[in-house]
């Protein structure tokens, strides 16, 4: 019986699809640099296909930096809550970096990913240009 269980487990693991590594991007500005892990959705994959790009961002409600992408991203499911470090999409082409926790009105935001590290570099009033690039592997 034990050999059967081992064989069954080996078969199950061998038939599993390989797990893809989490896609990462670098976000740099004169205020500092951060890395972000992207969500596994069509909007995040479309963002990667636009890279590298520079976005002029402005402060909004002292909770986020916002800026326009060169073209819209695909619509995927949305949510209303966000955490410190969430990368989001408000509207089809409005890129957002949240540096505070909060909640948005309906229809919510598309979650593009999450910043790894100290997103507080963006917690300053005023505009900033950010450069977004695929992280080299």
């Amino acid at each position: 019986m034990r050999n059967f269980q081992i064989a069954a487990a080996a078969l199950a693991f061998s038939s599993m699809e390989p797990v893809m590594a989490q896609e990462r991007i670098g976000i740099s500005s004169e205020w500092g640099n951060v890395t972000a892990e992207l969500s596994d959705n069509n909007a995040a994959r479309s963002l990667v296909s636009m890279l590298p790009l520079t976005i002029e961002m402005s402060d909004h409600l002292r909770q986020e930096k916002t800026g326009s992408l060169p073209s819209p991203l695909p619509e995927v499911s949305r949510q209303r809550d966000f955490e410190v470090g969430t990368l989001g999409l408000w509207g089809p082409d409005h890129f957002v970096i949240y540096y505070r926790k909060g909640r948005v009105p309906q229809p919510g935001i598309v979650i593009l990913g999450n910043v790894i590290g100290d997103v507080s570099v963006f917690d300053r009033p005023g505009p900033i240009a950010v450069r977004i690039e695929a992280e080299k592997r």
Side-chain angles (χ1 to χ4, degrees):
M1 180 67 170
R2 176 91 173 128
N3 287 341
F4 176 74
Q5 290 172 330
I6 292 170
L11 179 61
F13 284 115
S14 68
S15 65
M16 293 175 73
E17 290 185 35
V19 176
M20 297 299 290
Q22 187 85 32
E23 185 77 37
R24 288 186 176 197
I25 58 172
I27 303 172
S28 57
S29 75
E30 65 185 53
W31 294 343
N33 306 321
V34 295
T35 299
E37 284 189 344
L38 294 179
S39 300
D40 184 15
N41 63 42
N42 287 336
R45 283 187 283 279
S46 291
L47 175 65
V48 170
S49 72
M50 293 180 181
L51 302 180
L53 63 98
T54 300
I55 304 173
E56 297 293 327
M57 302 191 84
S58 58
D59 202 69
H60 183 68
L61 300 175
R62 292 297 297 136
Q63 70 180 11
E64 64 201 61
K65 291 292 190 233
T66 65
S68 295
L69 295 170
S71 59
L73 299 180
E75 184 68 32
V76 298
S77 65
R78 292 176 172 267
Q79 68 182 53
R80 295 184 60 201
D81 295 317
F82 58 87
E83 298 295 324
V84 171
T86 296
L87 299 181
L89 186 67
W90 179 260
D93 65 350
H94 206 79
F95 182 75
V96 183
I97 303 171
Y98 291 99
Y99 55 81
R100 299 197 194 281
K101 180 179 178 176
R103 185 174 179 92
V104 295
Q106 290 291 359
I109 56 171
V110 169
I111 302 298
L112 295 173
N114 292 291
V115 170
I116 303 165
D118 189 6
V119 73
S120 70
V121 297
F122 299 111
D123 187 359
R124 301 181 190 191
I128 185 73
V130 300
R131 178 83 174 160
I132 304 173
E133 299 178 285
E135 190 173 86
K136 310 239 183 322
R137 295 187 183 257

